[in-house]
Structure formats: structure tokens, C-alpha cells
Amino acid sequence: SSLYFPAGHPSGFEMWNSVRSRLFGAIARVDSSTSWPSSYVQRARSVVLADDQAAILAVLAKLLQTEFEVVATVRDGRALVDAVARVSPDAIVTDITMPFLDGIEAAREILGRNPSARVVFVTVHADPLLMRRGLAVGGLGYVPKASAGEELVLAVRAALRGERWCL
């Protein structure tokens, strides 16, 4: 069966191309920037990253690695809960739509065990209802994947300070 997209709505392929080009553009800008003097270097804050799409997971990991240490990458919500319990990261970046346990339910479980966990949602869904649900369980950030190249690192920084970041 094929997916139906209403007139004027971009297809899944068009959305993926848009997300991919924006993320790779942001990575190219960061990769070409100057490096910090060693006196400014601190321990990199650790991040666990979850996304069910391997290509997106790789791009997001590369983007986050410009500033953070990505200590685990997983492709479903159950694996996210397990990885967070195992490595106790400083922050968690998760997609919402994933197999076994969606990102919001995984965050609910993680935050139930550790209320001080810092969770940022990154998703293709620019849906205010999903954003409210994510924030209601205790998430601190909500970034559309189309804006991740410009906003994801900023959102994780804000979450690490205990601040909210939503577009």
C-alpha cells in the first residue's frame, strides 16, 4: 500500500531530502569552524541518542559530536531506556516515533526513574500536541528535524542548564 499525501503536502521523500540537506549543511559549517584553544576545553557532556532511522541517527550523531560525547546510539525506545540506565548520560536526545516504545513513553519511564534526566525530543512532527505531550512528561526540548542542524545543539545546551527549548 502507498501513503497518501494531501495536495501541497511534501512526500516522505521530499521531507527526508529537506531534513538531510539542512543537517549536512549545518555539519559542514561546524566542521569548517576554528577549534577552541586547549585552555577552553572541558570534559565533553555525554549524550545518548535514539532514532529508528539509521541514516538520520548517523547524521544527528555527527552533529552532536561537534560538542558532546555521544556515548550510545539506539534505534528503539526500549533500547533507549536500557542504554540510559547503563551509561547515565548528561542528556538524552530522542525521536518520538520509534518501535517497541515511542520516545515520549521512553522519556516517561526514564524520568520516572531519574527525575533530573535531561531529555530533548527531535522529530519530523511539527505538531503542537506532541510537543505538549513531550514537555508534560518532563522533556526540556522539542526540535523539528528540519531545524536540527541549527537548533539541536542549542536545545541540548539549554536542557543541560535545566532550561526549555522549543521551536
Side-chain angles (χ1 to χ4, degrees):
S1 71
S2 62
L3 295 173
Y4 169 76
F5 292 96
H9 187 280
S11 70
F13 180 76
E14 290 165 332
M15 287 175 25
W16 159 245
N17 275 337
S18 172
V19 167
R20 184 176 53 105
S21 66
R22 291 176 112 180
L23 287 174
F24 280 119
I27 290 168
R29 286 191 302 277
V30 170
D31 283 348
S32 66
S33 66
T34 59
S35 60
W36 290 95
S38 61
S39 61
Y40 289 104
V41 176
Q42 301 176 19
R43 178 188 73 83
R45 305 296 297 266
S46 61
V47 174
V48 169
L49 174 62
D51 195 293
D52 62 324
Q53 296 180 21
I56 295 283
L57 189 65
V59 171
L60 292 175
K62 184 163 174 67
L63 178 66
L64 289 167
Q65 287 167 347
T66 62
E67 188 160 328
F68 307 104
E69 180 184 1
V70 178
V71 293
T73 58
V74 298
R75 296 192 49 201
D76 67 73
R78 179 57 45 212
L80 174 61
V81 172
D82 294 343
V84 168
R86 188 176 62 254
V87 300
S88 300
D90 296 311
I92 301 144
V93 175
T94 182
D95 188 12
I96 290 178
T97 307
M98 295 188 296
F100 305 116
L101 192 64
D102 72 43
I104 292 174
E105 290 307 313
R108 181 187 319 274
E109 195 169 317
I110 291 164
L111 288 158
R113 294 177 184 179
N114 178 6
S116 65
R118 310 295 191 191
V119 179
V120 174
F121 297 100
V122 59
T123 180
V124 295
H125 306 288
D127 180 347
L129 179 61
L130 276 178
M131 181 176 72
R132 284 193 295 274
R133 282 186 53 218
L135 297 177
V137 300
L140 291 172
Y142 189 94
V143 178
K145 284 183 182 173
S147 301
E150 297 85 19
E151 305 293 331
L152 185 57
V153 168
L154 298 173
V156 174
R157 282 186 203 154
L160 288 168
R161 292 189 305 266
E163 301 169 0
R164 284 203 166 157
W165 185 276
C166 303
L167 293 181

